Amino acid sequence: MKIGVIGTGYVGLVTGACFADLGHTVVCVDNNKEKIAALRSGKIPFYEPGLEGLVTANSRQGRLLFSTSIAECVKTCEVIFIAVGTPPLPSGDADLSAIEHVCVEIATHMRSYRLIVEKSTVPVNTGEWVARTLQKHVRKGVQYDVASNPEFLREGSAIQDAEHPDRIILGVSSDRAAMLLVKLYEPLNAPLLITDIRSAELIKHTANAFLALKISFINAVARVCELTGADVTKVAKGIGMDRRIGEAFLSAGIGYGGSCFPKDVSAYVKLCEKVGYDFNLLKEVMRINTAQRTAFFDKVKKALGTLSGKKIAVLGLAFKPDTDDMRGAVSLEIISLLRKERARIFAYDPVAGENAAPLLPHVTICPDALSALRGADAALIITEWKEFRNLDLPAVKQVMKRPIIIDGRNIYDPAKMAEMGFQYWGVGRPRSESARR
Ligand SMILES: NC(=O)c1ccc[n+]([C@@H]2O[C@H](COP(=O)([O-])OP(=O)(O)OC[C@H]3O[C@@H](n4cnc5c(N)ncnc54)[C@H](O)[C@@H]3O)[C@@H](O)[C@H]2O)c1
């Protein structure tokens, strides 16, 4: 099949490369000329394990093409995926302007049947609005369908997630659209759920809202643990062993960030307000998430007293491990709080340093963890990169001015840390005896 993917970001490029790898011919379009020029010369615009090899191999085979022209894509591709960004507006609603722009262009250039598929995350009922937008600009007599095929990949394991999805959701309003999408995904041999468009749209928002809810739930439990002396990692393990609950997304920490959960939860709340339901539960999810940042910052102050002039090592800047994506990264919020108290910040991230530097002009970005830790009054673990789990802790202790570690991701064992002479603060875990002394 010939497929168009508009928007070559984290979702569009991975989707395009994976479809090409299945044997389809894919035209990936973006209005960012530098991005397309870079992709044509084999450069991947962001860090995603395994993506470079997939893009290079399929480009060489002539199955993966890059273009800045929606017209060219619409001319040759029967199925067109829209994977542009839907960032939050200041109101919390999703900004659908890029989708609108793309729809107008697609409609203007359609000359025969096309299937337009929403891959971007959008509020329920966007499909109807997309169809109306297309209708306003399409030539008389040209047929088309709109479908929703939400994406569930996670940055950092995007290829694995796209090639081996838990499920594929197809929201359609015609048999023709259903048949095209089923054929397209057939080689993946993954569980398929065919629904109406509205339900498909709501599945995506609801899945992200539920995952955010799990995170905030365990973070609230972590606060109870801190007040009672229980250990949240044990509580999470104990409840996660119940198959009705499941162990995933029960890691207490400094809360979720990134370009998806915060915006999708707030867009969901906004959508509910519009249709007449006050989804207070989700508002509480957001409130707990914000409170985790403050609670973490309070620990830093408690451990160090005044922060002015203190040297703080920040380990991890990306919003999660295995990505260089700084959108919605918790590190930005924590560093902003530290800066307000005039702390001196030395940060290290295995891959996000380059993306972070322009966002953090007053932070020294270090080439490795030990450089950031040298002479530090405290180290903060912000992103749970594997590299930090495997740090040479005796060397860490030796280079730090004071052996204080405030771990926002619970990556170390408190007892072992105390044994090694660290003053160690986790999330929702009792501080060990020697640390209290
Ligand atoms: N990043 C994720 O992990 C993830 C996972 C699932 C779903 N999503 C959803 O997928 C969508 C895309 O997310 P992303 O992270 O890939 O975003 P992104 O910002 O990385 O990529 C979007 C791309 O669209 C391009 N673009 C914007 N306007 C355009 C236009 N008019 N014409 C052509 N190209 C245009 C941008 O230049 C950019 O390259 C969002 O709705 C997001 O919520 C993201």
Side-chain angles (χ1 to χ4, degrees), residues 142-163:
V142 175
Q143 306 256 304
Y144 60 88
D145 273 312
V146 172
S148 164
N149 169 221
E151 183 52 60
F152 299 96
L153 64 77
R154 296 161 298 173
E155 289 174 27
S157 56
I159 310 275
Q160 166 73 17
D161 293 345
E163 289 184 341

Side-chain angles (χ1 to χ4, degrees), residues 7 9-11 30-31 35 86 101 121 151 155 260 263 327:
Y10 289 88
V11 166
D30 206 286
N31 62 356
K35 209 177 219 185
T86 49
H101 186 264
T121 302
E151 183 52 60
E155 289 174 27
C260 291
K263 86 163 167 66
R327 292 177 295 178

Side-chain angles (χ1 to χ4, degrees), residues 161-412:
D161 293 345
E163 289 184 341
H164 306 280
D166 289 345
R167 77 305 205 185
I168 292 161
I169 304 292
L170 302 176
V172 290
S173 59
S174 78
D175 290 345
R176 187 175 187 175
M179 272 161 57
L180 276 169
L181 288 172
V182 168
K183 191 170 150 214
L184 178 63
Y185 277 110
E186 210 161 39
L188 283 186
N189 209 12
L192 275 178
L193 179 66
I194 300 182
T195 72
D196 56 286
I197 297 174
R198 288 189 190 122
S199 304
E201 291 167 335
L202 203 55
I203 285 169
K204 174 63 193 178
H205 259 169
T206 305
N208 274 4
F210 191 76
L211 294 171
L213 172 102
K214 271 188 109 175
I215 295 171
S216 279
F217 182 83
I218 202 67
N219 279 333
V221 174
R223 301 294 287 278
V224 179
C225 289
E226 284 176 7
L227 295 168
T228 57
D231 182 335
V232 74
T233 59
K234 291 178 185 149
V235 176
K237 192 164 185 192
I239 62 168
M241 286 165 85
D242 184 331
R243 272 173 292 161
R244 295 169 303 174
I245 296 173
E247 64 186 17
F249 280 76
L250 288 180
S251 300
I254 35 178
Y256 58 80
S259 68
C260 291
F261 283 5
K263 86 163 167 66
D264 292 346
V265 175
S266 85
Y268 202 161
V269 168
K270 282 283 161 185
L271 178 276
C272 292
E273 270 172 21
K274 276 187 199 140
V275 298
Y277 179 66
D278 195 356
F279 209 150
N280 268 319
L281 178 62
L282 289 186
K283 290 183 193 163
E284 187 58 15
V285 165
M286 295 194 282
R287 193 200 62 76
I288 294 169
N289 200 51
T290 308
Q292 280 311 96
R293 273 66 148 155
T294 325
F296 180 78
F297 184 63
D298 287 346
K299 275 181 199 155
V300 180
K301 285 206 290 196
K302 218 166 161 186
L304 288 180
T306 148
L307 297 182
S308 179
K310 299 259 165 73
K311 178 175 175 178
I312 297 188
V314 169
L315 297 188
L317 294 166
F319 90 91
K320 65 179 219 169
D322 298 316
T323 182
D324 61 356
D325 196 348
M326 285 297 298
R327 292 177 295 178
V330 182
S331 63
L332 299 174
E333 287 174 56
I334 300 292
I335 288 172
S336 152
L337 292 170
L338 294 167
R339 287 276 314 149
K340 275 192 198 133
E341 306 261 337
R342 293 198 293 282
R344 294 179 301 129
I345 298 150
F346 291 70
Y348 166 68
D349 187 281
V351 300
E354 204 178 306
N355 285 351
L359 305 172
L360 298 166
H362 303 292
V363 170
T364 307
I365 307 285
C366 300
D368 52 61
L370 282 187
S371 312
L373 289 158
R374 193 157 287 119
D377 290 283
L380 314 187
I381 310 287
I382 303 293
T383 316
E384 64 276 36
W385 283 92
K386 202 169 164 201
E387 180 180 328
F388 301 149
R389 294 182 197 276
N390 298 329
L391 278 180
D392 176 353
L393 291 170
V396 168
K397 186 158 177 262
Q398 208 173 19
V399 299
M400 288 182 76
K401 186 170 162 198
R402 295 167 71 190
I404 300 176
I405 295 193
I406 303 149
D407 181 356
R409 301 295 180 184
N410 282 345
I411 64 171
Y412 300 122

